Amino acid sequence: MNKYFQYILIVTLIALFWGPSLLLLVENSLDPLIFNDDVRQAVVPFFSDWNNELFVKDYAIAYERALIPIGTKLLYMAAANYVSPDTFSSILQLVLYLLLLITLAIVSYSLGDTRTMTATLVLTLSSSIFLQRMVGGLSRSFAFPLMSLLALALVKKSLLLNAFLVLLFALFYPPMAQVSFYTLLALLLWKFKKTGKREKLRKVIVLGLTAILALLIVMPLLNVQEKYGPTIGIGELEDYPEAGPGGRYGFDDRPPFPSVFYALADIVGRTFQSGGGAFCPPAREWLYGKRTRGKPTYQLVVILTVMVLIMVSFSIGTIMKGEMEALLSLHLLLFAAILAYLLSCFFYPALFVPWRAIVYPLPIFLVLLFPLSLLCLVQRLTDNPKRESILFYLLLFCCFLFLGGRGAGDEGFKVNAHQEKALYEYIKSLPSTSIIAGFPKGVLDNVPYLCQKSALVTNETHQAFHKDYVREMRLRMELLLSAYFSTEKEKLVQLHKKYGVTHILIDLRHYTSGAPPKYFAPFNKKIRELTSDKKRDDYILLKVPARDFGHFRLINLSKVVSSS
């Protein structure tokens, strides 16, 4: 078959099966009221570069800005001269996703041929994990595209490209800098014996300069402790329950961390878990049942185990025979990820959250290795080129029949704010110096991003990394809860005078008897105490003048305080 005809056929098939999903991705990216939840912490800080009257002296937003890597910070600051941060984040996520697909296609073709390239592309388009982690144009959005470039550097055994990627990771997503540095070290050792003294010296200099420059780039993130206190260690979770079980983060983002085997199995499952409509709905329903994450069905475990065994047997067989050096170098990505995970667990929190060391390298490794393993299996079954291709695509089709999907163009877009559009438009019309308080989940969390107004506490900015910051947010949250569920104006006055809160946004459903809202440790206990013996008519915020927006009510606290 003509090579160009093959490319046309591949593009046609991708457009036919995944075109609607890609169009939905673009559509969602262009809708300002549909976005990823984490833009509310990672994009909001740059609105002050777009308009210097926004978020002046906002403690939480300043903290979030301090946590953003310098490369991402400089990029958004430069873009703010031309477009708003929310618009730029929407454009950036599409550009990075396109870069990911192009780079993976190049790497897969380098390892195999057109067939492996096609399989890698459809695996990536079908998987839900990539868009889950990339939508938003955040620092983490750079991780997968840069990781695919790292795979290319390993396949080509390019020390200079690997070294350059260490610096790019340090600039845009530091947790992955250590993974890329380990692969650089491994490549250097691999080539070390085969080179002369002068070449060895040059490589050592490259390694040393890369390490020094990467540390200098990351240094501003380490200086965050000077202003916001030391990081919370594993032995301090009793004093800072916000950072432990039942606190701000899920099981994969806080200690105690799962074993490396559990982490690997978890990411394997997530990588091959498809998004969007199934090619065969009954097959997906049988395979996934009602349990996907954390509690997979037995049949899903069996199928994924078979896929892993195919990859393992292919890898071991190929490496033992001394074939395909490029494949062996690609495995450095897996080994570096495992090493980074183990070291991050041991030295936590110095080397960032361990789970991140696995979640970005492993999916890249899998979508490249599985098609190659499948092709190797087929080549062992037949010597006929035509039968080989037919059998390869047939087995690939069988995999997608159970595991595949048409892609989810809405994957990663966790927030749809259309229902409360009128509320956001009104809050946006308030003076730029307004400070909004409310229960820090849901609607209030969108206020800084959609309305460009400061919020006293939001769930997104209520981080639990640095001690001083955690203590400050705890004080804010305790006073906020006391005012939110108060029966008298005294707490409202304190909230206004201490933090300058001008408006309170309340959800009327929070005052229904027996149904108080939930937050995270240690605040749920206080919420129960404040609501256990009260009736709906007792709450002061239900008695003062307000502007209603369906279930929500916005109260001008300045007027309430002045009338008391």
Side-chain angles (χ1 to χ4, degrees):
M1 185 184 293
N2 184 280
K3 184 180 291 187
Y4 294 105
F5 179 76
Q6 289 184 49
Y7 292 146
I8 292 171
L9 182 61
I10 291 168
V11 172
T12 303
L13 288 173
I14 288 175
L16 180 65
F17 288 105
W18 289 278
S21 172
L22 293 172
L23 287 175
L24 181 58
L25 170 63
V26 174
E27 182 182 333
N28 285 334
S29 297
L30 297 176
D31 191 329
L33 294 176
I34 299 177
F35 48 89
N36 181 267
D37 55 332
D38 287 336
V39 299
R40 301 176 297 188
Q41 58 174 270
V43 172
V44 169
F46 299 108
F47 278 106
S48 60
D49 297 298
W50 172 250
N51 182 345
N52 59 18
E53 294 181 359
L54 300 176
F55 303 107
V56 178
K57 297 181 180 180
D58 189 310
Y59 180 76
I61 298 301
Y63 175 74
E64 291 293 346
R65 189 183 181 96
L67 295 178
I68 296 172
I70 189 171
T72 309
K73 199 176 294 183
L74 291 173
L75 187 63
Y76 269 87
M77 288 170 65
N81 293 312
Y82 307 99
V83 294
S84 63
D86 52 340
T87 300
F88 182 68
S89 73
S90 298
I91 297 170
L92 185 60
Q93 65 195 17
L94 294 175
V95 172
L96 291 174
Y97 190 58
L98 180 61
L99 175 62
L100 170 70
L101 294 175
I102 292 172
T103 308
L104 284 177
I106 293 170
V107 179
S108 188
Y109 186 83
S110 300
L111 285 168
D113 53 26
T114 307
R115 292 167 294 183
T116 57
M117 180 186 73
T118 304
T120 293
L121 284 175
V122 297
L123 273 172
T124 306
L125 289 166
S126 177
S127 177
S128 60
I129 195 170
F130 294 100
L131 283 177
Q132 280 177 359
R133 308 301 301 174
M134 291 185 68
V135 167
L138 317 175
S139 289
R140 71 177 185 216
S141 303
F142 288 88
F144 278 132
L146 292 181
M147 196 56 65
S148 64
L149 285 170
L150 180 60
L152 179 63
L154 293 174
V155 168
K156 300 297 184 181
K157 294 187 284 295
S158 172
L159 282 171
L160 289 179
L161 179 57
N162 194 327
F164 181 59
L165 285 166
V166 173
L167 301 182
L168 285 180
F169 275 122
L171 280 168
F172 293 100
Y173 198 64
M176 289 299 96
Q178 64 164 324
V179 174
S180 54
F181 184 77
Y182 299 152
T183 60
L184 175 63
L185 181 60
L187 273 182
L188 188 146
L189 293 174
W190 189 350
K191 290 185 171 185
F192 207 67
K193 292 181 180 179
K194 303 176 183 179
T195 55
K197 291 183 178 180
R198 184 172 296 180
E199 184 67 15
K200 287 179 181 178
L201 179 61
R202 187 181 71 85
K203 290 177 179 177
V204 170
I205 291 173
V206 168
L207 182 70
L209 284 176
T210 302
I212 292 170
L213 288 173
L215 285 173
L216 289 174
I217 292 170
V218 177
M219 195 66 69
L221 294 179
L222 303 178
N223 293 335
V224 173
Q225 297 186 28
E226 294 180 7
K227 187 173 181 180
Y228 299 102
T231 51
I232 299 169
I234 293 178
E236 299 170 304
L237 299 182
E238 187 174 342
D239 295 328
Y240 297 93
E242 293 95 332
R248 168 69 169 81
Y249 307 110
F251 78 96
D252 43 16
D253 278 333
R254 50 87 181 148
F257 299 106
S259 69
V260 66
F261 300 106
Y262 181 93
L264 289 170
D266 180 47
I267 302 305
V268 168
R270 294 195 206 189
T271 302
F272 290 113
Q273 182 176 315
S274 62
F279 289 118
C280 181
R284 178 187 282 187
E285 186 177 347
W286 170 79
L287 186 63
Y288 288 129
K290 295 181 179 180
R291 302 178 296 174
T292 53
R293 183 178 175 182
K295 296 181 179 179
T297 59
Y298 293 112
Q299 51 267 33
L300 178 60
V301 171
V302 170
I303 288 179
L304 290 178
T305 301
V306 170
M307 294 173 71
V308 170
L309 287 175
I310 290 173
M311 289 186 282
V312 169
S313 61
F314 163 68
S315 298
I316 293 175
T318 304
I319 291 171
M320 291 292 289
K321 291 178 182 178
E323 302 171 350
M324 287 187 68
E325 267 198 9
L327 178 65
L328 178 58
S329 59
L330 180 65
H331 276 71
L332 296 178
L333 191 62
L334 174 64
F335 302 143
I338 293 173
L339 177 61
Y341 184 89
L342 294 172
L343 291 177
S344 296
C345 286
F346 187 79
F347 292 107
Y348 180 82
L351 297 177
F352 303 99
V353 178
W355 183 76
R356 296 174 188 174
I358 295 286
V359 72
Y360 295 106
L362 190 57
I364 297 295
F365 177 75
L366 291 172
V367 298
L368 291 171
L369 182 64
F370 181 69
L372 202 59
S373 304
L374 197 62
L375 182 60
C376 178
L377 175 65
V378 167
Q379 289 172 339
R380 291 176 182 176
L381 295 175
T382 178
D383 294 329
N384 187 297
K386 289 186 178 179
R387 289 180 183 175
E388 187 180 290
S389 293
I390 292 171
L391 187 56
F392 176 83
Y393 286 118
L394 183 62
L395 289 174
L396 186 65
F397 173 77
C398 290
C399 291
F400 274 90
L401 190 66
F402 289 96
L403 292 170
R406 301 180 185 275
D410 56 353
E411 198 72 59
F413 294 92
K414 296 183 179 180
V415 182
N416 187 328
H418 279 277
Q419 191 171 350
E420 293 81 30
K421 183 178 179 181
L423 170 62
Y424 296 126
E425 287 178 346
Y426 179 78
I427 295 176
K428 191 170 185 177
S429 69
L430 297 174
S432 60
T433 54
S434 301
I435 299 177
I436 317 299
F439 196 84
K441 265 191 173 182
V443 171
L444 180 78
D445 272 33
N446 299 333
V447 166
Y449 180 72
L450 292 177
C451 311
Q452 291 87 59
K453 298 295 182 292
S454 292
L456 181 67
V457 182
T458 67
N459 183 64
E460 284 295 331
T461 58
H462 196 163
Q463 304 289 3
F465 297 128
H466 297 89
K467 295 178 183 179
D468 291 351
Y469 183 80
V470 170
R471 285 194 288 264
E472 171 61 26
M473 297 306 283
R474 189 183 296 174
L475 291 173
R476 292 183 175 209
M477 188 64 185
E478 287 175 349
L479 180 55
L480 170 63
L481 290 175
S482 296
Y484 196 81
F485 295 110
S486 178
T487 57
E488 300 175 353
K489 288 186 179 180
E490 180 184 353
K491 294 296 182 182
L492 301 181
V493 173
Q494 289 182 28
L495 197 64
H496 176 69
K497 289 185 175 180
K498 185 171 183 178
Y499 294 111
V501 173
T502 58
H503 296 76
I504 292 186
L505 178 63
I506 66 172
D507 186 334
L508 297 175
R509 293 167 295 185
H510 290 169
Y511 301 95
T512 302
S513 179
K518 293 182 179 179
Y519 200 46
F520 55 77
F523 304 104
N524 285 325
K525 181 180 179 181
K526 186 173 181 65
I527 293 171
R528 289 193 297 268
E529 291 173 353
L530 290 168
T531 59
S532 62
D533 58 346
K534 293 185 179 73
K535 298 178 181 178
R536 182 181 176 87
D537 295 336
D538 295 335
Y539 299 107
I540 186 66
L541 289 177
L542 299 182
K543 301 175 183 179
V544 298
R547 185 180 291 265
D548 291 331
F549 298 89
H551 292 296
F552 303 98
R553 179 174 290 181
L554 187 66
I555 299 159
N556 189 326
L557 189 58
S558 302
K559 292 183 178 180
V560 173
V561 171
S562 63
S563 65
S564 60

